[in-house]
Amino acid sequence: MLTGLQIAVMGGDARQLEIIRKLTEMDAKLSLVGFEQLDHAFTGAIKEKIEDLDFSLVDAIILPVPGTSLEGKVETIFSNEKVVLTEEMISNTPSHCTIYSGISNNYLTGITKKANRRLVLLFERDDVAIYNSIPTVEGTIMLAIQHTDFTIHGSNIVVLGLGRVGMSVARTFHALGAKVKVGARRSEHIARITEMGLTPFLLNDLEQSVKDTDICINTIPYPIVTASVISKMPAHTLIIDLASKPGGTDFRYAEKRGIKAILAPGLPGIVAPKSAGQILANVLTQLLKDDLMKRKGKTQ
Ligand code: NAP
């Protein structure tokens, strides 16, 4: 249980509602900032304006997945209120206060560092990334169906990268009956791709490997699907780029060649916000419990 913990949940989308639901179930006391238009009431949670929040009582701050903007603004889907997190606010928290976010930027990292508070980035964790790959793959299948006139079954799929997303994508498309080739640069990845019953190739041979591709799914956050690679693809190829913005595809050249290329960020929040929220809620609950236990251990 999280009894005795005072947590500020600031802004966010539908994923945040799962976090609020879970934390209130665990008996934490929540201050919801940037939720005044939310109709649903959660027992143990009160809606507050950021200027009314007593930061000196806050044990943890939970930010939405993107964290803040470079000006400190927190995205609020359920509010028109402008929520800006400042270094001064964080400095007013108790020294054990931890700030949780999906990702960070120079602003957020800077203010937490200056205030000497711990910043935990959930999306850097392997467990979150692996769980998140599940809705990401489902979203990729949705895009493949929406943007092609052929079945996934029997089609030639090239997956670039065998990281946490690439592995789930490759395995799932294989299970759907596609002929899956996976490109990687490390020999242990080539070995794993072979072990999975898929066709491996080295990224150095990418141009050769896309000549009969129906769908190319990129997970590498690096400009890998270059004009030269795209020029070797059949005209009907669909490129689905999952890598974080700006993706790894030369979209300008793809458009010029008439090849459909889609940059598809944030699929978990789009196709399965409830599951994506539960993934974050489960990990957060465990982290908050661990922190609470550690602090209790120290004070005993
Ligand atoms: P990951 O586990 O770090 O995997 C990244 C893969 O890219 C690894 O196979 C890595 O190979 C390869 N790679 C990185 N830089 C490379 C380079 N310069 N040249 C060749 N290969 C390179 O990351 P992940 O969790 O799978 O996520 C992949 C991307 O998808 C990230 O950008 C992430 O933000 C994004 N993502 C998108 C969604 C969505 O909804 N679209 C959802 C989740 C994640 P090595 O091991 O050899 O470095």
Side-chain angles (χ1 to χ4, degrees):
M1 297 300 279
L2 299 174
T3 311
L5 270 191
Q6 177 72 46
I7 301 170
V9 180
M10 291 191 184
D13 54 25
R15 286 175 281 186
Q16 227 65 347
L17 302 185
E18 291 306 313
I19 294 173
I20 296 169
R21 195 186 321 279
K22 175 99 183 181
L23 297 184
T24 48
E25 271 170 23
M26 299 295 291
D27 201 29
K29 270 204 204 151
L30 302 194
S31 297
L32 308 182
V33 177
F35 286 92
E36 91 267 2
Q37 288 167 5
L38 180 68
D39 288 336
H40 192 87
F42 293 93
T43 316
I46 51 163
K47 294 176 191 166
E48 282 191 79
K49 287 196 178 311
I50 194 156
E51 55 270 23
D52 299 332
L53 188 66
D54 185 351
F55 280 89
S56 70
L57 301 177
V58 173
D59 298 304
I61 297 174
I62 298 177
L63 295 171
V65 166
T68 68
S69 73
L70 286 170
E71 292 76 39
K73 197 168 174 284
V74 179
E75 216 174 63
T76 54
I77 306 289
F78 299 101
S79 166
N80 292 326
E81 205 182 305
K82 191 174 177 194
V83 176
V84 176
L85 185 67
T86 64
E87 184 197 330
E88 194 190 347
M89 292 169 184
I90 298 184
S91 298
N92 284 335
T93 60
S95 59
H96 65 259
C97 177
T98 303
I99 292 88
Y100 296 91
S101 176
I103 55 174
S104 189
N105 56 25
N106 288 343
Y107 178 86
L108 182 59
T109 305
I111 58 169
T112 46
K113 209 170 181 181
K114 279 190 200 146
N116 199 21
R117 296 293 180 271
R118 201 159 67 95
L119 174 65
V120 175
L121 301 180
L122 298 172
F123 275 27
E124 284 191 355
R125 294 175 56 92
D126 269 342
D127 49 5
V128 172
I130 293 169
Y131 286 129
N132 245 332
S133 73
I134 301 167
T136 305
V137 173
E138 293 191 12
T140 310
I141 294 168
M142 175 189 80
L143 290 173
I145 292 170
Q146 279 174 345
H147 293 276
T148 60
D149 55 5
F150 49 84
T151 57
I152 292 171
H153 186 278
S155 60
N156 291 315
I157 310 265
V158 163
V159 177
L160 302 179
L162 192 77
R164 296 158 302 187
V165 174
M167 185 174 289
S168 303
V169 168
R171 186 189 296 114
T172 310
F173 276 80
H174 176 63
L176 289 173
K179 289 172 242 160
V180 179
K181 281 194 232 173
V182 186
R185 60 179 173 183
R186 292 206 259 152
S187 68
E188 62 267 40
H189 283 173
I190 297 294
R192 179 60 69 195
I193 295 160
T194 310
E195 177 275 327
M196 289 167 75
L198 312 176
T199 308
F201 67 89
L202 282 167
L203 286 168
N204 288 341
D205 300 327
L206 178 55
E207 290 186 16
Q208 296 302 314
S209 305
V210 295
K211 285 187 171 155
D212 59 351
T213 303
D214 298 313
I215 305 176
C216 174
I217 303 169
N218 178 47
T219 74
I220 300 177
Y222 177 81
I224 187 108
V225 189
T226 58
S228 181
V229 171
I230 296 169
S231 71
K232 308 292 184 307
M233 292 175 175
H236 72 273
T237 304
L238 169 69
I239 301 171
I240 303 176
D241 199 332
L242 300 177
S244 49
K245 281 180 189 167
T249 303
D250 187 336
F251 289 96
R252 186 203 61 83
Y253 182 77
E255 190 177 358
K256 192 172 165 203
R257 237 212 97 189
I259 284 196
K260 196 182 276 180
I262 305 164
L263 181 63
L267 287 174
I270 296 168
V271 298
K274 194 177 173 78
S275 309
Q278 283 166 349
I279 290 166
L280 295 172
N282 290 340
V283 173
L284 262 171
T285 310
Q286 194 53 52
L287 293 175
L288 289 164
K289 261 193 210 165
D290 292 349
D291 271 2
L292 190 62
M293 295 293 283
K294 254 189 234 158
R295 271 198 294 130
K296 276 188 177 163
K298 267 189 197 161
T299 52
Q300 269 166 14

